[in-house]
Amino acid sequence: MLYREAGDFKTSYTSDNQTFPIRFDRYGYYFVLGVAFLIMPLILNDYWTNALVVPFLIYTIAALGLNILIGYCGQLSLGTGGFMAVGAYASYKLMTGFPDLNIVFVILLSGLITAGVGVLFGLPSLRIKGFYLAVATLAAQFFLIWLFTRTPWFFNYSPTGMISAPTRTIFGVPVTGASASAVSMYMVCLVFLVALAWLARNLTRGTLGRQWMAIRDMDIAAEIIGVNPLWSKLTAFAVSSFYIGIAGALLFTVYLGAAEAGEAFGIDKSFLVLFMVIIGGLGSIFGAFAGAFFLIAGPVLLKIMLVDNLGWPTDLAAHLEIMIIGALIIVTLILEPHGIAALWRTIKEKLRLWPFPY
Amino acid sequence: MLDTQPDEGYTTADGRKIGGVAMEMKNITLRFGGVVAIKDISFDIRWGEVRAIIGPNGAGKSSMLNVISGFYNPQEGEIIYKGYRRPRMRPYQVARTGIARTFQNIALFEGMSVLDNIMTGRLNHMKANIFQQALWWGAAQREEEENREKVEKVIDFLEIQHIRKTPVARLPYGLKKRVELARALAAEPSILLLDEPMAGMNVEEKEDMCRFILDVNDEFGTTIVLIEHDMGVVMDLSDRVVVMDYGKKIGDGTPDEVRNNEEVIKAYLGVTDD
């Protein structure tokens, strides 16, 4: 009886427009934020931070970005890995070129640079749609990785071709490099994720979000009612690439510490984020979280179950893991083609009537 | 804008004021490759009137509407709107000059709620920039609420309060048509183009739709251009009728004049010449 909207009357458009119109949802949201900011830092250890929590936070940012492009604006992209690489290499060049620049600005600027590159590769979307656009963005993926592995300027002529993040601090606490603690890594990624998720929610519920969705659902009708297709598609590419660039910069500076374009940001990363978006739910902010959790936590939990609890050999478990995750993806898509977010919506609608469904 | 040419206005039998010429088509010709869809057509639309375009299938009615809404650019001829010659425009630019339309096959945004669909009709009245929207601050929030209020008025007017938050994909056909009209009305257009607003509806739904169209014209003074196949509806609703056949204009005038026009009767009944 806690979860109900009956009797919860809205008396202004502001309260009707809020993100969590049901009181129980609202308290749940505050509770999750409280746990994330106050309790998690106390109980996190190095293993969980590195294996699960930080990758989850970073990939959620990337999934949010791709969801804006595919889920909200309907423009298919397979260039995510390449755009993450742009974010990573931009942050590397900024960190080595301007050692005094604060890491927060480095990451934000990397996002902006990626946004610019994203707009450039988004230009074909004005002419081509659907699978053809996907192929064009796939070209972006291969071109960008080729550029970063073949142009020594991008990795500062290092003989290995690797880029590695020097130590940078926020308020005197190291957040990148070898001396960064698990908690500081976690907090940086969490703050970026919460801020970006909030911005994404605002963008998608307002005029711009409606323009994107109009283009997604029926571009001809959208243009007839006054949506400028050029503007809405390019803003979607810009915002999406901004998010993906920040995810790439965080992945390199905070999480990996050292990276090589082809290995860290290959085509498999593009597909990983795409799967997150599809499994989580297209056109849903919650879906980005759910999809990223499913695909990051799934393998980790399976490994713990198979190797640590059942004592199976690691290589066998690794192969089984791939098969089980693959099967789970297929099963999820058959049972709920609109992703985990749609499942969650259905549960919510049932709950609204519960326990008196008449 | 009603008094651009005040001397030309007149008052209808039921007391509505019809103003001067709002839009004038001059010798419009539209070709698709070798096919001539519209051939040298001229007619005008006056402020405040209900103007119907009728004709057999394939006569070029929808093409004419697409020319007005900027979806097609005619090869020849010009459009005089609000006293000025209209340059070549993209459809979204035409929308910003105060022309809204509905489609023959419903063109709603299926993935969005009814409310969001109608809110898209207010796009041209919302000016907050991307940063204000991202922060949901200042102009963004204020505009959202002001425009929500306008949209709620349209929702009340068309009696669709109960489906406000329903995803459009779940609605039955008749209601979808009504939501589409709501989206066009939310834009507060000067000229409203309706492409077969009553196609596929039952008698009751048709009556509702007729009532809404007349109310829109009456209460907001919106100029309406509609294409319709139901002759009873057309003759009852419209002030003046253009009749098209094979891309040519074969009649133009009040419903009574058109009804008695030899060529129109021929086109509709298929009388042979001998």
Side-chain angles (χ1 to χ4, degrees):
Chain A
M1 291 280 272
L2 280 168
Y3 193 88
R4 55 186 300 156
E5 119 185 274
D8 194 354
F9 297 114
K10 302 289 185 286
T11 49
S12 73
Y13 293 134
T14 317
S15 64
D16 193 41
N17 276 340
Q18 61 190 334
T19 306
F20 299 101
I22 299 170
R23 200 178 293 129
F24 188 74
D25 270 352
R26 210 148 54 232
Y27 293 145
Y29 167 69
Y30 293 138
F31 177 73
V32 170
L33 272 188
V35 169
F37 275 102
L38 302 174
I39 299 177
M40 287 292 272
L42 300 178
I43 58 172
L44 270 182
N45 61 27
D46 279 359
Y47 173 73
W48 283 108
T49 314
N50 279 315
L52 181 68
V53 179
V54 168
F56 163 68
L57 296 175
I58 292 174
Y59 276 105
T60 307
I61 295 177
L64 276 173
L66 193 63
N67 211 339
I68 284 175
L69 190 63
I70 300 184
Y72 283 96
C73 197
Q75 308 298 309
L76 204 50
S77 164
L78 288 175
T80 319
F83 293 131
M84 285 174 86
V86 173
Y89 278 78
S91 64
Y92 176 67
K93 289 304 285 186
L94 286 168
M95 282 168 100
T96 50
F98 308 93
D100 294 331
L101 193 62
N102 189 297
I103 182 72
V104 174
F105 293 107
V106 167
I107 289 170
L108 287 176
L109 277 175
S110 310
L112 286 178
I113 291 169
T114 318
V117 176
V119 168
L120 201 64
F121 284 101
L123 284 173
S125 72
L126 306 173
R127 283 277 167 194
I128 50 181
K129 292 177 193 167
F131 291 119
Y132 302 97
L133 180 64
V135 173
T137 54
L138 196 61
Q141 164 79 36
F142 288 117
F143 169 74
L144 288 168
I145 298 302
W146 174 84
L147 185 71
F148 291 133
T149 43
R150 292 302 167 88
T151 316
W153 181 80
F154 285 112
F155 46 85
N156 282 0
Y157 306 96
S158 87
T160 53
M162 301 269 288
I163 54 172
S164 54
T167 302
R168 290 287 180 271
T169 58
I170 298 177
F171 305 126
V173 182
V175 293
T176 67
S179 54
S181 71
V183 171
S184 63
M185 285 161 61
Y186 168 77
M187 286 307 280
V188 171
C189 294
L190 181 69
V191 169
F192 267 104
L193 173 60
V194 170
L196 287 173
W198 179 70
L199 292 179
R201 166 65 190 158
N202 285 342
L203 281 174
T204 51
R205 70 170 158 166
T207 321
L208 195 59
R210 279 191 290 263
Q211 288 184 13
W212 289 341
M213 289 189 276
I215 289 283
R216 171 195 69 190
D217 285 346
M218 195 169 277
D219 49 358
I220 291 172
E223 203 177 345
I224 290 278
I225 63 167
V227 177
N228 181 346
L230 177 86
W231 167 252
S232 25
K233 282 180 184 173
L234 290 188
T235 46
F237 267 98
V239 173
S240 162
S241 309
F242 178 71
Y243 278 61
I244 291 168
I246 284 184
L250 282 173
L251 192 70
F252 160 63
T253 57
V254 175
Y255 182 62
L256 295 174
E260 194 268 320
E263 206 177 302
F265 304 106
I267 182 78
D268 52 328
K269 292 296 184 297
S270 299
F271 282 115
L272 179 67
V273 181
L274 182 65
F275 289 154
M276 285 173 183
V277 170
I278 293 174
I279 289 172
L282 290 166
S284 154
I285 303 287
F286 171 74
F289 285 82
F293 187 78
F294 188 94
L295 284 184
I296 298 290
V300 175
L301 298 180
L302 271 177
K303 180 170 168 292
I304 289 173
M305 199 176 77
L306 296 179
V307 178
D308 302 350
N309 290 353
L310 299 176
W312 292 12
T314 322
D315 52 343
L316 177 69
H319 288 124
L320 267 179
E321 192 185 293
I322 295 172
M323 285 192 274
I324 292 175
I325 291 293
L328 276 178
I329 291 173
I330 294 170
V331 169
T332 317
L333 289 183
I334 290 172
L335 293 181
E336 187 48 88
H338 299 294
I340 301 171
L343 205 66
W344 176 239
R345 262 199 298 277
T346 317
I347 295 173
K348 265 166 88 168
E349 272 178 28
K350 294 244 162 71
L351 270 174
R352 276 166 64 173
L353 298 175
W354 184 85
F356 305 117
Y358 49 78
Chain B
M1 291 306 287
L2 269 169
D3 43 10
T4 37
Q5 284 152 299
D7 49 310
E8 287 191 34
Y10 64 95
T11 307
T12 56
D14 54 349
R16 288 175 306 122
K17 269 205 145 36
I18 305 291
V21 175
M23 181 181 268
E24 194 179 359
M25 315 291 148
K26 276 188 176 167
N27 308 95
I28 302 281
T29 298
L30 177 72
R31 290 187 213 96
F32 299 109
V35 182
V36 184
I38 301 175
K39 201 173 177 186
D40 195 25
I41 286 192
S42 306
F43 66 94
D44 60 0
I45 301 160
R46 286 166 176 275
W47 289 116
E49 76 175 345
V50 179
R51 188 78 150 122
I53 304 176
I54 62 171
N57 283 326
K61 308 183 295 293
S62 287
S63 297
M64 195 67 230
L65 226 52
N66 283 333
V67 166
I68 300 178
S69 61
F71 198 65
Y72 296 146
N73 277 303
Q75 278 80 11
E76 284 164 38
E78 51 187 20
I79 297 173
I80 313 288
Y81 178 46
K82 292 182 176 170
Y84 298 98
R85 184 176 178 276
R86 193 172 84 182
R88 272 177 84 97
M89 279 182 171
R90 303 282 307 159
Y92 70 89
Q93 293 168 318
V94 173
R96 286 171 193 177
T97 63
I99 295 177
R101 71 170 289 179
T102 66
F103 292 81
Q104 188 175 351
N105 319 312
I106 300 166
L108 284 169
F109 308 124
E110 297 267 325
M112 298 157 74
S113 69
V114 169
L115 184 62
D116 275 337
N117 262 281
I118 305 175
M119 283 294 280
T120 55
R122 300 290 306 168
L123 279 179
N124 297 331
H125 301 263
M126 298 172 89
K127 303 275 178 291
N129 65 38
I130 182 167
F131 300 105
Q132 290 168 322
Q133 287 185 50
L135 299 172
W136 204 249
W137 174 74
Q141 198 180 2
R142 197 176 58 243
E143 273 184 354
E144 185 81 11
E145 274 154 38
E146 284 167 2
N147 286 294
R148 174 76 187 271
E149 213 167 316
K150 293 257 167 64
V151 164
E152 287 293 338
K153 275 185 191 139
V154 175
I155 289 179
D156 274 353
F157 181 77
L158 292 177
E159 298 159 18
I160 45 177
Q161 298 94 333
H162 57 295
I163 52 166
R164 198 185 275 127
K165 299 226 164 145
T166 315
V168 163
R170 285 192 203 163
L171 296 179
Y173 183 82
L175 277 178
K176 279 189 188 175
K177 279 267 185 196
R178 214 187 285 181
V179 173
E180 207 191 6
L181 178 62
R183 186 180 66 188
L185 276 183
E188 296 180 37
S190 325
I191 299 184
L192 176 61
L193 312 174
L194 304 173
D195 196 347
E196 300 202 19
M198 278 153 249
M201 287 187 161
N202 62 34
V203 177
E204 199 183 332
E205 286 170 332
K206 272 188 190 177
E207 280 173 359
D208 278 345
M209 193 52 104
C210 284
R211 186 161 53 84
F212 289 132
I213 292 173
L214 286 177
D215 281 353
V216 168
N217 179 250
D218 211 25
E219 284 186 31
F220 307 134
T222 310
T223 308
I224 293 174
V225 180
L226 78 130
I227 293 178
E228 187 47 58
H229 277 300
D230 188 321
M231 277 310 124
V233 168
V234 170
M235 296 303 170
D236 281 352
L237 285 185
S238 47
D239 297 307
R240 287 192 300 158
V241 183
V242 177
V243 192
M244 289 174 71
D245 191 21
Y246 292 113
K248 282 179 294 198
K249 185 169 95 168
I250 57 172
D252 187 355
T254 63
D256 281 331
E257 287 167 16
V258 166
R259 198 177 286 145
N260 300 320
N261 182 321
E262 290 256 323
E263 257 191 285
V264 175
I265 296 171
K266 227 193 299 186
Y268 266 89
L269 300 179
V271 182
T272 45
D273 275 323
D274 50 23

